[in-house]
């Protein structure tokens, strides 16, 4: 089981009807979990940066759990982000400590769903309002997952909602969050998403040799790129040399969509849509979508092996 760290940003959990239920349910149902209740740990907002960074380093999945305050996080969580996501930890020349960790935003929203609409009084969809946090994850090299959020999660006695209704919604929210965590921890799909991200991260660096890629290449590889075809590890190396001749370093590969399904004989069929942006060796710029169709297997060590690799410009 992957290690899950949950950062609770509610400023006063003892008075929460929803976040408290969500956290307690997570604690009961997930074995390898560390829930860090910021209001209890740091009532004076003096964040122990070393302890928090250590907790993140030990995590595979990071969940930010918080009530939606003024279209953002509560003050204590903002302080936590400012202090903990520091230079050369979460960003900067050596700031790769959170790279490839999954990030899930889990938030409770007081207002109704219809208010988060261009015609509603909040005007914007929730996921639009989460873009700054999404970009924070991207900058830190994390794998941003679709957020989990629920509406009408405030109980005001005799004014708005009932305690029973909000606690029921909190339990449903927790179950949805647990299902997402389980998928990331156990599923082949999530494992492949991480593998694909790491694969294209290598292409972003464009190492001079193909040796970093070869452990994942089958001896029977069939590679098709435009009208050229290549076979095996030697063929991949030849193709990679053509990539080096075409692209300048620091070209970026941004995955826009990944789908994987079971094939025959323990194979998996993967479809990846990736946008390539940057400068070519001839001085031209590229901003092009490519479809990549891979056939992969998992070896005895649980690592993916690529048997078929087709690249097609969109």
């Amino acid at each position: 089981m992957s290690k899950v760290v949950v950062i609770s940003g509610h400023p006063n959990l003892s008075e929460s009807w929803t976040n408290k239920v969500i956290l307690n349910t997570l604690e009961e149902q997930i074995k390898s979990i560390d829930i860090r209740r910021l209001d209890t740990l740091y009532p004076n907002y003096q964040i122990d940066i070393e302890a928090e960074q250590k907790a993140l380093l030990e995590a595979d999945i990071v969940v930010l759990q918080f009530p939606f305050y003024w279209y953002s996080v509560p003050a204590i969580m903002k302080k936590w982000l400012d202090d903990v996501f520091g230079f050369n930890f979460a960003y900067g020349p050596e700031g790769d400590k959170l790279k490839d960790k999954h990030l899930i935003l889990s938030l409770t929203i007081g207002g109704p769903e219809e208010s988060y609409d261009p015609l509603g009084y909040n005007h914007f969809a929730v996921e639009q309002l989460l873009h700054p946090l999404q970009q924070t994850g991207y900058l830190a090299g994390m794998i941003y997952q679709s957020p989990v959020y629920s509406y009408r999660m405030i109980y005001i006695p005799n004014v708005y909602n009932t305690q029973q209704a909000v606690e029921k919604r909190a339990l449903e929210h927790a179950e949805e969050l647990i299902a997402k965590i389980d998928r990331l921890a156990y599923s082949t799909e999530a494992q492949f998403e991480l593998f694909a991200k790491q694969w294209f991260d290598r292409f972003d660096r464009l190492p001079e040799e193909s040796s970093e890629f070869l452990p994942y290449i089958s001896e029977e590889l069939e590679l098709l790129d435009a009208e050229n075809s290549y076979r095996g590890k030697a063929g991949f190396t030849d193709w990679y040399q053509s990539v080096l001749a075409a692209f300048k370093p620091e070209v970026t590969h941004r995955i826009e969509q990944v789908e994987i399904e079971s094939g025959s004989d323990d194979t998996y069929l993967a479809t990846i849509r990736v946008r390539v942006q940057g400068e070519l060796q001839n001085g031209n710029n590229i901003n092009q979508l490519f479809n990549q169709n891979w056939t992969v297997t998992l070896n005895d060590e649980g690592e993916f092996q690529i048997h078929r690799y087709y690249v097609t410009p969109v």
Side-chain angles (χ1 to χ4, degrees), residues 245-272:
F247 294 97
K248 287 188 176 182
E250 299 184 3
V251 167
T252 60
H253 296 72
R254 180 164 181 175
I255 296 174
E256 297 195 354
Q257 185 176 354
V258 178
E259 295 179 358
I260 184 170
E261 60 184 25
S262 296
S264 59
D265 301 325
D266 298 322
T267 64
Y268 296 92
L269 308 178
T271 302
I272 307 167

Side-chain angles (χ1 to χ4, degrees), residues 89-294:
F89 180 79
Y91 71 101
E94 301 173 15
D96 60 353
K97 309 305 185 294
L98 301 178
K99 183 178 173 62
D100 295 338
K101 297 180 186 294
H102 294 285
L103 175 64
I104 304 174
L105 305 180
S106 172
L107 53 150
T108 55
I109 300 168
E113 182 175 1
E114 58 269 23
S115 69
Y116 289 89
D117 181 88
L119 298 180
Y121 57 81
N122 288 311
H123 300 297
F124 298 96
V126 171
E127 296 194 28
Q128 290 177 292
L129 297 168
L130 292 176
H131 281 168
L133 292 173
Q134 183 174 356
Q135 173 56 23
T136 297
Y138 287 154
L139 185 63
M142 305 180 80
I143 303 173
Y144 183 80
Q145 300 294 331
S146 58
V148 178
Y149 50 89
S150 300
Y151 301 98
R152 299 182 184 272
M153 296 289 269
I154 287 179
Y155 166 49
I156 304 174
N158 302 316
V159 176
Y160 187 62
N161 289 322
T162 66
Q163 179 180 343
Q164 182 181 17
V166 297
E167 289 183 347
K168 180 177 181 292
R169 284 195 283 272
L171 284 171
E172 292 169 350
H173 181 112
E175 294 299 332
E176 180 182 352
L177 179 56
I178 290 167
K180 181 178 286 287
I181 290 170
D182 284 348
R183 187 188 73 83
L184 294 174
Y186 296 115
S187 74
T188 301
E189 291 82 1
Q191 186 179 352
F192 182 79
E193 287 176 11
L194 177 58
F195 172 71
K197 181 181 184 301
Q198 293 171 338
W199 179 267
F200 288 112
D201 283 348
R202 294 185 183 95
F203 270 96
D204 287 349
R205 292 187 286 104
L206 275 185
E208 294 183 3
E209 303 293 334
S210 62
S211 54
E212 288 187 32
F213 302 93
L214 292 182
Y216 311 102
I217 297 298
S218 166
E219 293 287 358
E220 298 79 32
L221 173 74
E222 179 183 333
L223 191 157
L224 182 64
D225 182 0
E227 297 179 356
N228 300 310
S229 62
Y230 306 83
R231 301 194 73 87
K233 291 179 183 285
F236 179 87
T237 297
D238 291 341
W239 173 75
Y240 185 70
Q241 290 302 313
S242 72
V243 172
L244 290 177
F247 294 97
K248 287 188 176 182
E250 299 184 3
V251 167
T252 60
H253 296 72
R254 180 164 181 175
I255 296 174
E256 297 195 354
Q257 185 176 354
V258 178
E259 295 179 358
I260 184 170
E261 60 184 25
S262 296
S264 59
D265 301 325
D266 298 322
T267 64
Y268 296 92
L269 308 178
T271 302
I272 307 167
R273 175 165 288 197
V274 59
R275 181 174 294 279
V276 180
Q277 295 175 298
E279 187 178 357
L280 301 175
Q281 293 286 5
N282 62 12
N284 293 332
N285 291 323
I286 185 172
N287 184 354
Q288 174 73 54
L289 275 173
F290 290 87
N291 282 336
Q292 300 204 5
N293 295 288
W294 299 5

Side-chain angles (χ1 to χ4, degrees), residues 4-9 22-23 26-27 30 33-38 52 56 59 61-66 77 80 106 177 181:
V4 180
V5 168
V6 180
I7 308 300
S8 166
I22 292 167
L23 294 175
L26 294 177
E27 209 159 35
I30 298 177
I33 192 167
D34 176 14
I35 297 180
R36 306 188 66 78
R37 296 169 170 84
L38 299 183
E52 296 305 308
L56 292 176
I61 300 169
V62 178
V63 179
L64 300 187
Q65 175 64 51
F66 58 96
M77 180 167 277
W80 180 90
S106 172
L177 179 56
I181 290 170

